[in-house]
Amino acid sequence: MDTDVLIVGAGPTGLALAARLHRLGVGVRVIDKHAGVLELTKSAALHARTLEHLRDLGVVDAVLAEGRRVDVLCLRTGHRDRLAVDFRTLADTAYPFMVDIPQARTEHLLIDLLADQGVRVERGTECTGVEQDADGVRATVVTGGRTATVRARWLVGCDGAHSTVRGLLGIERVGAPYADDWVLCDAVVDWPLPRNEMTFSGDTEGIFGVFPLPGERRYRLAYTATPGVEPDLRDAQNAMARTGIEGTIRSVDQFWTFSLAHEQAVRYRSGRVFLAGDAGHVHTPFGGQGLNLGIGDAMNLAWRLAAAARGDAGALDSYQDERHPVAAQVIAFTHRGAQMMLLRGDPRRHVRDAALTVLRSSPRARRALARRFSQLDHGYRRASGTSGRVRGLAGGDRLPDLAFFDGRANRPRRLHALLPDDRHTVLLTDPAQAEGLAVPDSCAVRVLTPDWARAESTGGVPTALDRGREAARLYGAAYLVRPDRHLAYAGPAAGLSAALAPLARLGEVR
Ligand SMILES: Cc1cc2nc3c(=O)[nH]c(=O)nc-3n(C[C@H](O)[C@H](O)[C@H](O)COP(=O)(O)OP(=O)(O)OC[C@H]3O[C@@H](n4cnc5c(N)ncnc54)[C@H](O)[C@@H]3O)c2cc1C
């Protein structure tokens, strides 16, 4: 074999997958048909769950330093603010906000990370054929007119909405294109609203979205195209005027017109070949979800491929079970959101406005929406390979990143920071839960306890003392946490042995 995993496509999904696989000790090659990063205006918004993933990849500090923090997503219709979704209400994450940063910058940061790890993206290299048998995959790749074969144990198509890999596998998509084209541009704008606010306005002509970007008075503007009108500064200014907010566009870098669809591949896997990111799902930019979803796919698939490389091929089976329904939910949510904002002069707009007003008066509904956009609640409760349920947490849920004061280290900490991100971890809340428990070498053990006396008697297991019982919702149970910070198991300690059984089979990467 030339490599363990061949990744086709060096967009955000492929780059995140490559970095994660490398961290997990899996051999990886990444090819991309383009000569460099496309500096095209595309995604801007990174949500809380993605920032957690970027933390585990090791680039979140750079993203935070460079990006613009956005606290509020405001929905406006008919010239009025209808609903403000405040991400500062997100309680169990270190990142209770969104970060706006051009997609190309996110890609460059991941490429730099890979370069530091010694992984180089093979540019100008296009995948044109895929064959597989029981042992591996043979990909035909073309570089500068020369054709070669790359043999890998697995191949992942991260090659975007028009995925060649998906086409070669003959995997159908379901969904439909939208009638409206969209225009996107990065601009310098005198915009009177706060810089920590992203705005989507619906009016009788279409949608106008304003995303604050890093840089003085810089914004990304996204709006529904007027049929027959070539986008230019005047067109953008006219569209902005429809929001009812007095903004002035000073200059624009470039315009990009694009069409959209809500579509999903019916399968994410064919034998040893997988789809991730836009290759598997596309939808509207409502709420800035797509790139975030792709990075979520990558983090979910990476540890499975690492487990398969160590002898547990069964770990690959639930990738589709977990990620397909999550993307289906996002597609449905963004479809409803965009349709709602695109009612134009339809009389149902009055019902929409009334509904938004009701939502506005409910802090609970606004918090729920913030969680929805943030992707923090994407979970896998019904998927195989996850089990148990205790005190509101179940196998498949994301482990909440609770903040607590560690009485042993004598400093504030977060739960995720207590756990390694390159292996499964048994998280005990009482050292006595370890009695008689056989933990495979591939797995870490951590103790989080509120009990002063017990915190001193954990026999060398890394232990944190939760002095203020701030993680009280976890106590009385034990957990098996996956490398992607989702729970493989939540429940009585007696249930851990069964949950650990698949990990006992793991060897070295073979
Ligand atoms: C206008 C717009 C605004 C958006 N705004 C947001 C936002 O705010 N937040 C958000 O989360 N998402 C947003 N998105 C979505 C986001 O841009 C995509 O979800 C994201 O780019 C998907 O990443 P990917 O890596 O899966 O695919 P892509 O970014 O499409 O990357 C695919 C890569 O595969 C390569 N490739 C293709 N075919 C081959 C082949 N045969 N061989 C080798 N290489 C190949 C391509 O060159 C490309 O580099 C937006 C999208 C659009 C269009």
Side-chain angles (χ1 to χ4, degrees):
M1 292 292 164
D2 299 310
T3 186
D4 290 320
V5 180
L6 176 65
I7 297 173
V8 178
T13 306
L15 293 168
L17 180 62
R20 191 73 182 136
L21 284 172
H22 181 81
R23 165 104 175 102
L24 297 174
V26 180
V28 65
R29 279 177 66 177
V30 194
I31 62 168
D32 197 287
K33 67 181 180 184
H34 284 114
V37 170
L38 297 181
E39 302 296 332
L40 284 176
T41 302
K42 266 174 104 179
S43 113
L46 300 179
H47 285 283
R49 185 67 180 117
T50 306
L51 295 169
E52 293 183 349
H53 291 320
L54 295 175
R55 172 204 60 205
D56 288 343
L57 290 169
V59 292
V60 78
D61 290 341
V63 166
L64 296 181
E66 215 180 290
R68 169 147 295 273
R69 175 179 166 144
V70 173
D71 296 312
V72 175
L73 187 159
C74 180
L75 298 180
R76 288 171 56 82
T77 61
H79 288 194
R80 291 172 65 175
D81 288 350
R82 299 288 176 184
L83 181 64
V85 178
D86 191 335
F87 295 101
R88 290 169 293 199
T89 60
L90 299 172
D92 62 353
T93 178
Y95 310 104
F97 47 81
M98 248 174 10
V99 170
D100 276 359
I101 181 170
Q103 176 165 332
R105 284 305 307 151
T106 305
E107 293 181 21
H108 278 294
L109 291 170
L110 288 168
I111 288 166
D112 292 348
L113 172 77
L114 282 169
D116 288 347
Q117 296 170 342
V119 179
R120 184 181 58 84
V121 176
E122 298 169 45
R123 293 277 173 196
T125 301
E126 180 169 8
C127 174
T128 58
V130 175
E131 290 173 17
Q132 58 177 315
D133 57 29
D135 299 322
V137 182
R138 275 186 316 282
T140 306
V141 301
V142 181
T143 312
R146 279 206 319 278
T147 301
T149 300
V150 178
R151 296 184 318 134
R153 297 170 76 187
W154 296 278
L155 182 148
V156 187
C158 303
D159 49 346
H162 306 288
S163 170
T164 304
V165 172
R166 188 187 60 230
L168 290 167
L169 296 176
I171 295 179
E172 300 285 326
R173 280 183 299 174
V174 291
Y178 287 104
D180 287 290
D181 280 347
W182 284 62
V183 178
L184 217 83
C185 61
D186 286 359
V188 174
V189 185
D190 291 335
W191 182 246
L193 299 191
R195 285 283 280 161
N196 67 341
E197 178 177 323
M198 171 175 146
T199 317
F200 272 103
S201 302
D203 57 63
T204 51
E205 306 286 322
I207 291 183
F208 196 91
V210 181
F211 302 64
L213 287 181
E216 200 175 334
R217 293 185 295 154
R218 287 190 66 79
Y219 292 86
R220 173 152 304 170
L221 310 178
Y223 59 96
T224 34
T226 308
V229 174
E230 188 64 26
D232 59 11
L233 197 146
R234 178 190 294 199
D235 172 54
Q237 186 66 61
N238 287 342
M240 179 178 271
R242 297 198 312 259
T243 64
I245 298 169
E246 288 188 13
T248 305
I249 304 174
R250 296 292 172 195
S251 64
V252 173
D253 292 357
Q254 61 172 347
F255 285 94
W256 185 35
T257 305
F258 58 97
S259 52
L260 291 171
H262 54 104
E263 288 177 341
Q264 187 172 26
V266 293
R267 285 180 291 129
Y268 285 1
R269 179 182 186 182
S270 173
R272 291 177 164 269
V273 184
F274 296 83
L275 299 178
D278 276 19
H281 41 73
V282 289
H283 48 78
T284 78
F286 178 75
Q289 298 285 291
L291 178 152
N292 294 271
L293 201 53
I295 290 185
D297 290 346
M299 300 301 277
N300 187 289
L301 183 55
W303 71 264
R304 298 172 185 285
L305 286 165
R310 292 184 168 86
D312 179 18
L316 294 167
D317 292 342
S318 43
Y319 168 65
Q320 145 117 12
D321 295 350
E322 295 195 352
R323 293 305 294 175
H324 201 273
V326 163
Q329 281 168 26
V330 170
I331 291 169
F333 177 61
T334 54
H335 179 65
R336 281 197 301 273
Q339 295 297 90
M340 170 192 84
M341 297 300 284
L342 264 173
L343 282 174
R344 298 192 162 98
D346 188 312
R348 286 176 297 170
R349 71 186 187 282
H350 301 299
V351 179
R352 169 200 64 197
D353 293 347
L356 287 173
T357 306
V358 170
L359 286 177
R360 180 158 86 169
S361 63
S362 163
R364 193 166 164 195
R366 281 186 279 124
R367 272 200 306 276
L369 271 172
R371 291 198 75 81
R372 189 85 185 243
F373 283 115
S374 73
Q375 303 194 352
L376 286 171
D377 287 342
H378 285 179
Y380 317 121
R381 283 192 176 189
R382 281 186 288 276
S384 62
T386 63
S387 60
R389 180 184 285 261
V390 64
R391 306 183 70 178
L393 279 175
D397 288 354
R398 162 185 163 274
L399 177 72
D401 192 13
L402 301 172
F404 64 97
F405 189 86
D406 185 348
R408 292 186 94 209
N410 210 25
R411 62 183 167 89
R413 294 183 80 179
R414 283 208 171 256
L415 188 52
H416 285 192
L418 188 65
L419 276 49
D421 67 10
D422 61 347
R423 65 197 65 194
H424 281 67
T425 304
V426 173
L427 176 63
L428 305 175
T429 56
D430 181 338
Q433 292 168 332
E435 277 165 29
L437 182 68
V439 179
D441 291 345
S442 60
C443 198
V445 183
R446 296 290 184 269
V447 175
L448 174 70
T449 173
D451 187 320
W452 290 74
R454 286 172 188 261
E456 296 308 320
S457 60
T458 55
V461 175
T463 299
L465 170 65
D466 174 18
R467 266 167 70 161
R469 294 188 65 89
E470 289 165 281
R473 62 182 290 204
L474 298 179
Y475 295 142
Y479 306 87
L480 179 60
V481 187
R482 306 186 326 199
D484 62 357
R485 317 292 194 176
H486 282 261
L487 299 170
Y489 172 76
L496 275 173
S497 296
L500 284 166
L503 302 178
R505 295 194 287 270
L506 296 186
E508 295 301 307
V509 173
R510 286 187 274 122

